Amino acid sequence: MTTASILDELEPAQDAKTSLTQKAYRRIEEMIVTLQLKPGEVLSEAALAEQLGIGRTPIREALQALGREGLVVILPRRGILVSELDVQRQLKLLEVRRELERLMARKAARRARPDEKSAFIEIAEGMRAAAKSADELAFMRYDRHLNLLLCRAARNEFLENAMALTHGLSRRFWFQHHKEVGDLPLCATLHAGLAEAVGRGVEAKAADASDRLLDYVESFTRKTLDTLG
C-alpha cells in the first residue's frame, strides 16, 4: 500500500454526504491555517459554499467541527468568526501537546503496521524536500499527514480526539510567525526525525524526537513574544 492510499484511508467517507463534509472541512481548515481566512474574519456559509462548490449543509457541518477544534468561533444569531491568535493561549496549548504527543509517538512506534511505518519514512523524505525547495504549503500538508498518521498508528481513540484539538491551532500559529522567527529547515528536520523514529518502531527514540520537536515549537512560540513586544 502506498503512502497516498494510506493517507486517503485516514478520513474515510461513509457516504456522499460525509465525503462532502470532509472535503469542506479539509479545504476550510487549510484556508484558516494558511491565513487565507484571517483571524477575526467573519465567515459566510453561502460565500464559502459558492467559493468551494459545496452545498451549505456540508459547509455548516465542517464549520461546526472547526468550532470544536477552536479554529472558528460560532456566535449564535451573530455569525461565525475565525478565531484570534493568542501567544499566551498557544503556550498553554503546548503544555498539553508536549505530554500527549510524547505518548502518541511511543504508541505509534509500537503499534504501527509495516505499511504505515513505510509511510512515515516517505513523509519524512517529503518534509525534507519541501524545506529544501522552501515550499511552505507542501510542508504544512506533510505536517497534517504526519499528525493524521500518528493518530491512526497510535490506535487510541481518546488520544486521537485530544490531539485533534491542538494540531490545527499549532499549524496556524507557526504559519503566521515562521517568517519572523521560524526556521523551516530546522522545523522540517525535527518533524522528519520524529517520523523516522516512529517508522523504525523505536519507542524511546520516538519519544525523544517528540520532545526535541516540542522544545523547538515552544522556543519558537516564546520568540514571537519579542516580536510582538
Side-chain angles (χ1 to χ4, degrees):
M1 184 176 292
T2 66
T3 300
S5 60
I6 288 175
L7 293 171
D8 286 342
E9 286 184 354
L10 296 177
E11 298 174 285
Q14 298 175 357
D15 52 43
K17 179 182 175 183
T18 301
S19 177
L20 285 174
T21 299
Q22 290 168 348
K23 180 181 178 181
Y25 170 86
R26 287 193 296 269
R27 294 284 301 278
I28 299 170
E29 195 257 11
E30 182 173 287
M31 291 167 71
I32 293 173
V33 166
T34 58
L35 304 176
Q36 297 172 62
L37 297 174
K38 301 185 185 307
E41 185 172 340
V42 178
L43 301 182
S44 161
E45 289 181 6
L48 286 169
E50 182 177 356
Q51 180 179 354
L52 301 179
I54 300 173
R56 290 187 63 169
T57 296
I59 294 290
R60 184 178 303 114
E61 292 173 349
L63 289 171
Q64 288 170 350
L66 291 165
R68 290 191 292 271
E69 295 175 9
L71 285 170
V72 303
V73 179
I74 300 174
L75 303 173
R77 295 181 298 279
R78 293 177 57 192
I80 302 171
L81 306 177
V82 178
S83 64
E84 297 286 352
L85 288 158
D86 185 322
V87 177
Q88 294 300 334
R89 187 165 177 249
Q90 191 69 20
L91 288 169
K92 291 179 181 178
L93 180 149
L94 290 177
E95 292 178 359
V96 176
R97 183 181 163 192
R98 177 182 290 275
E99 302 303 321
L100 292 176
E101 197 142 317
R102 184 190 301 118
L103 174 62
M104 185 169 65
R106 282 187 173 277
K107 298 304 180 184
R110 179 189 301 180
R111 297 170 177 167
R113 302 185 319 234
D115 57 341
E116 291 169 340
K117 290 180 178 180
S118 296
F120 279 116
I121 300 302
E122 290 188 37
I123 287 172
E125 293 170 353
M127 284 185 152
R128 290 195 174 103
K132 186 175 181 180
S133 62
D135 190 335
E136 301 160 350
L137 183 56
F139 171 75
M140 295 289 285
R141 288 173 175 167
Y142 276 116
D143 185 34
R144 174 170 164 75
H145 292 165
L146 175 59
N147 293 336
L148 289 171
L149 190 55
L150 282 168
C151 286
R152 189 176 83 166
R155 290 182 166 80
N156 183 318
E157 65 271 25
F158 300 103
L159 182 57
E160 181 176 358
N161 290 338
M163 289 305 299
L165 301 176
T166 73
H167 283 148
L169 289 169
S170 292
R171 288 201 310 280
R172 181 177 64 153
F173 190 89
W174 183 85
F175 196 88
Q176 168 77 4
H177 296 289
H178 77 280
K179 291 183 179 178
E180 303 158 5
V181 297
D183 184 333
L184 180 57
L186 174 59
C187 187
T189 296
L190 292 169
H191 278 83
L194 171 59
E196 287 178 343
V198 174
R200 294 191 182 104
V202 183
E203 290 185 52
K205 288 187 177 180
D208 287 344
S210 177
D211 282 339
R212 287 196 297 274
L213 173 58
L214 266 294
D215 285 343
Y216 163 77
V217 173
E218 183 173 343
S219 174
F220 166 84
T221 303
R222 292 189 182 282
K223 284 179 182 178
T224 65
L225 289 171
D226 297 332
T227 66
L228 298 173

